[in-house]
Amino acid sequence: MTGTNLTGTNLAGTNLTGTGLNRPAGYRHVPAAEWSELAPGDPVWVYDLGWGAGAGRVDDVSQHQELLWVVIEPTGRRLICGTDDVEVWTA
């Protein structure tokens, strides 16, 4: 099966958000199951189909659930849930 779903991932599971949305070079994708490895202050780039993409820093991380608070410049603090249609990338 070919095509693209709403998350920007083709149906084979390949990520498609890389270059067209100005993701910083050298950043790696962090699946929601690994968000607990991030620390406050870590630089992130977030892509959300509903509101777009932005760069910022981790503000807080839930160690037991897939919840991540990030401060996106210039829009402010945002809660991201692992079940959201979102991608998180870090340096």
Side-chain angles (χ1 to χ4, degrees), residues 1-89:
M1 182 180 275
T2 61
T4 304
N5 66 20
L6 295 178
T7 65
T9 303
N10 70 17
L11 297 177
T14 304
N15 182 286
L16 300 176
T17 62
T19 57
L21 297 171
N22 298 321
R23 177 176 47 87
Y27 275 43
R28 66 176 177 83
H29 180 247
V30 182
E34 297 174 15
W35 289 354
S36 62
E37 298 172 12
L38 297 171
D42 283 351
V44 290
W45 182 84
V46 178
Y47 172 71
D48 183 313
L49 184 62
W51 59 267
R57 298 221 171 255
V58 172
D59 188 45
D60 199 7
V61 182
S62 169
Q63 297 300 311
H64 304 289
Q65 298 175 4
E66 296 172 349
L67 299 171
L68 182 67
W69 280 102
V70 295
V71 178
I72 303 291
E73 298 299 334
T75 59
R77 194 169 189 241
R78 181 170 196 91
L79 176 63
I80 300 172
C81 299
T83 56
D84 292 347
D85 208 4
V86 65
E87 293 180 8
V88 175
W89 297 69

